[in-house]
């Protein structure tokens, strides 16, 4: 079983994907975490984030791996578990910056296709339905207005003790949207055969139920 979920920053992909995967009893592969781990490695090397060749060179030694412990994804750089280190604003922007380079994407996409073969998986990202798994039987494109996505991110960060102002969160989100949608290689866009879910006025439970319904229409009741 392969379920592809794509969408912009703050569309709720990660949390919704976790809930849907748990309901269906399958694994959730968060591909953004792989770009984040790669970006952390590049940041540590001090490479210039606007220089594609420097990024590719620094990234050659990036050993990005994904493991599962009790069904939860652990994102690794070699033997180091970086799951807890890749959610900062700095790594978010760096991940968006490095992910525009074709050499980086080639490596990540190849690793994601291999992982997708190993188990029933729900995979979330930006280019899963369009590029990583163009034949996935279920494709969902999640979105919401930029203001609503920024509001969700702002509340989430406040709960974690991060007091970044709403205006800054919205500006960073708009910057990442622009970068993710305008890059030449595999930009964020809805696959023609993806189901569009605008979650602006939906609760998490409603979104989860809608996706499970779509999966059951394709694969039957799980
Ligand atoms: O989903 P996320 O915010 O954790 O992703 C971090 C960055 O990685 C995002 O700004 C764009 C990039 N990304 C990508 O280019 N392709 C994917 N399949 C997943 C993420």
């Amino acid at each position: 079983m392969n379920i592809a979920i794509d969408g912009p920053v703050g569309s709720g992909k990660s949390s919704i994907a976790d809930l849907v995967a748990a309901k269906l009893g399958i694994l959730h592969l968060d591909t953004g975490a792989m770009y984040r781990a790669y970006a952390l490695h590049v940041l540590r090397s001090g490479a210039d984030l606007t220089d594609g060749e420097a990024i590719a060179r620094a990234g050659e030694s990036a050993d990005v791996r994904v493991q599962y412990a009790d069904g939860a994804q652990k994102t690794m750089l070699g033997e180091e578990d970086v799951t807890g280190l890749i959610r900062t604003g700095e790594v978010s922007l760096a991940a968006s910056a490095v992910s525009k380079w074709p050499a980086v994407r080639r490596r990540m996409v190849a690793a994601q296709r291999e992982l997708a073969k190993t188990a029933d998986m729900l995979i979330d990202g930006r280019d899963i339905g369009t590029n990583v798994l163009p034949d996935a039987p279920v494709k969902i494109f999640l979105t919401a207005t930029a203001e609503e996505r920024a509001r969700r991110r702002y509340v989430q960060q406040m709960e974690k003790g991060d007091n970044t102002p709403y205006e800054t969160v919205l500006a960073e989100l708009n910057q990442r949207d622009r970068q993710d949608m305008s890059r030449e290689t595999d930009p964020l866009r809805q696959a023609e055969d993806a189901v569009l879910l605008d979650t602006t006025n939906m609760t998490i439970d409603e979104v989860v139920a809608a996706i499970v319904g779509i999966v059951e229409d394709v694969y039957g009741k799980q």
Side-chain angles (χ1 to χ4, degrees):
M1 183 190 283
N2 278 157
I3 299 163
I5 300 191
D6 292 300
V9 183
S11 56
K13 273 178 305 146
S14 279
S15 38
I16 284 161
D18 263 341
L19 291 167
V20 173
K23 253 207 155 101
L24 298 172
I26 63 174
L27 295 176
H28 166 208
L29 175 61
D30 171 359
T31 61
M34 298 172 70
Y35 288 94
R36 285 168 180 273
Y38 188 102
L40 176 64
H41 181 86
V42 172
L43 278 175
R44 284 173 171 174
S45 77
D48 175 0
L49 288 180
T50 60
D51 180 344
E53 276 179 28
I55 288 172
R57 249 193 328 273
E60 264 168 33
S61 52
D63 181 11
V64 177
R65 301 183 199 170
V66 167
Q67 295 176 0
Y68 289 91
D70 297 326
Q73 175 170 333
K74 281 204 295 181
T75 310
M76 316 282 294
L77 272 177
E79 298 300 323
E80 182 189 2
D81 183 352
V82 295
T83 314
L85 303 178
I86 55 176
R87 298 286 153 195
T88 63
E90 187 190 21
V91 175
S92 299
L93 283 174
S96 181
V98 303
S99 66
K100 79 177 219 190
W101 299 102
V104 178
R105 302 204 67 80
R106 265 197 303 277
R107 277 186 51 192
M108 295 298 110
V109 168
Q112 289 155 17
R113 288 187 180 139
E114 284 309 308
L115 281 160
K117 285 186 204 153
T118 61
D120 288 340
M121 274 191 177
L122 183 157
I123 303 171
D124 90 84
R126 302 289 190 288
D127 62 335
I128 310 305
T130 50
N131 177 48
V132 178
L133 299 172
D135 297 328
V138 177
K139 296 183 188 177
I140 313 281
F141 194 84
L142 279 187
T143 190
T145 60
E147 289 71 21
E148 172 61 13
R149 291 184 285 120
R151 191 194 63 76
R152 292 175 188 169
R153 188 49 57 100
Y154 171 72
V155 170
Q156 221 175 36
Q157 292 185 347
M158 287 278 277
E159 283 167 3
K160 288 192 203 148
D162 173 346
N163 294 324
T164 309
Y166 168 81
E167 296 307 327
T168 309
V169 176
L170 178 62
E172 275 185 11
L173 182 137
N174 279 324
Q175 185 187 344
R176 281 221 280 155
D177 275 359
R178 261 195 311 276
Q179 281 179 184
D180 295 347
M181 290 177 183
S182 65
R183 67 174 178 234
E184 277 174 30
T185 314
D186 311 333
L188 167 66
R189 63 180 177 81
Q190 182 184 345
E192 273 169 22
D193 51 351
V195 177
L196 175 68
L197 280 180
D198 183 336
T199 69
T200 307
N201 296 309
M202 291 173 83
T203 64
I204 288 183
D205 285 348
E206 285 169 343
V207 181
V208 170
I211 297 176
V212 170
I214 293 165
V215 173
E216 286 177 351
D217 282 347
V218 173
Y219 284 104
K221 259 202 169 351
Q222 298 303 303

